[in-house]
Amino acid sequence: RNGVPVVILSHRKREFLPRAVASLRALGHAITDVVVVDDSGDANHHQWLDDHGYQFSLSGVSGNKGYLKAMNVVWETARALADEAGVESVLLWEEDFIATRKFSTAHMRAVLHRNEGLAHLNLQRNPVYKIERRFGYLESHNRRGYGLTRNSDDGIPWVGRRTPFTTNPGLIRREVLDIDWPTRTDCDAVEGGAEPAMGAHLEHEGYYFGWLGAWNTPYTRHIGDDRK
């Protein structure tokens, strides 16, 4: 197939979700199914998703079950979509991000295909934190010693990094979805919690990460202040 499915993690932010999906449809090239993982645990929100035509999977059926539970459901949903479609990657998204620049999932897939250790190719976002606003999104990562490299595959620019792993919007390799998220105990043992713990596990397996595009070329914007 020529497109990739999308899985969006949602936590009852109705003011964000329609904007996120609309931006994906408008600016993302070669996107197929869009499935929402609903972590609200709210029957009314489940109904709202159904009434508005969203495909969705449930994480919290009766009360929010937390980030780790939600991410395991994201992984399960993404695996199922990839296997059903016969594709090697899935686009992961978060409800409080919108696309701001046209992007090609075909280009992203080509980069993943050529770089087998590349686990997750993110879309660069706008600067949010103070250090990012001061130095620029990628330069702020560079100054923190994250091992950034500038690359090009068949004219497709991208920036590699040794660390960190992030669930910000990006294309993830199908094989990575077979690696379960760490346990709560594992996460508590790592400064920063779940994402750094998952990143450490992926790095131990020999994976690294990257961003699509030339240096400081944002494709997304974070539109919410209250991130889970």
Side-chain angles (χ1 to χ4, degrees):
R1 292 177 60 172
N2 294 323
V4 297
V6 183
V7 179
I8 304 178
L9 177 59
S10 175
H11 180 63
R12 202 170 35 172
K13 296 178 182 175
R14 298 181 192 178
E15 67 270 35
F16 298 147
L17 186 59
R19 294 173 63 189
V21 173
S23 73
L24 276 167
R25 292 297 191 193
L27 297 174
H29 173 70
I31 285 171
T32 56
D33 300 319
V34 176
V35 178
V36 175
V37 170
D38 177 22
D39 186 40
S40 68
D42 185 329
N44 290 329
H45 187 55
H46 303 338
Q47 189 61 54
W48 180 85
L49 291 169
D50 195 34
D51 290 345
H52 287 78
Y54 291 100
Q55 296 183 64
F56 63 94
S57 298
L58 301 181
S59 172
V61 177
S62 57
N64 174 265
K65 300 299 183 183
Y67 184 74
L68 277 178
K69 169 66 175 175
M71 288 310 302
N72 277 313
V73 176
V74 168
W75 252 225
E76 293 166 9
T77 304
R79 279 197 302 263
L81 286 170
D83 293 347
E84 180 181 353
V87 295
E88 298 177 351
S89 52
V90 176
L91 187 65
L92 303 182
W93 207 267
E94 294 177 301
E95 67 184 350
D96 51 359
F97 280 79
I98 59 170
T100 57
R101 183 191 302 268
K102 289 183 178 180
F103 66 92
S104 169
T105 62
H107 286 174
M108 299 174 79
R109 288 159 60 197
V111 172
L112 284 184
H113 182 72
R114 285 177 172 269
N115 300 274
E116 64 180 29
L118 181 59
H120 195 196
L121 186 65
N122 297 102
L123 294 166
Q124 296 177 51
R125 62 164 170 77
N126 65 308
V128 172
Y129 303 109
K130 184 177 180 180
I131 189 173
E132 296 172 356
R133 295 194 300 270
R134 180 179 180 187
F135 296 110
Y137 180 61
L138 292 189
E139 182 57 29
S140 71
H141 286 75
N142 199 37
R143 286 171 177 261
R144 284 175 277 185
Y146 291 158
L148 271 60
T149 59
R150 304 188 195 208
N151 309 283
S152 180
D153 285 321
D154 284 341
I156 304 169
W158 64 282
V159 178
R161 68 182 187 277
R162 175 181 50 81
T163 192
F165 169 71
T166 174
T167 57
N168 283 180
L171 194 70
I172 195 159
R173 186 181 297 277
R174 168 62 184 85
E175 302 94 278
V176 174
L177 299 171
D178 288 325
I179 301 174
D180 291 334
W181 274 72
T183 64
R184 171 52 60 194
T185 301
D186 293 335
C187 294
D188 289 343
V190 176
E191 183 180 356
E195 285 190 7
M198 184 60 165
H201 188 34
L202 293 175
E203 290 161 33
H204 179 74
E205 294 292 323
Y207 286 111
Y208 57 95
F209 317 101
W211 291 282
L212 178 69
W215 196 264
N216 284 343
T217 306
Y219 286 84
T220 70
R221 181 163 64 87
H222 180 233
I223 59 173
D225 294 325
D226 299 322
R227 196 184 305 190
K228 274 179 53 62

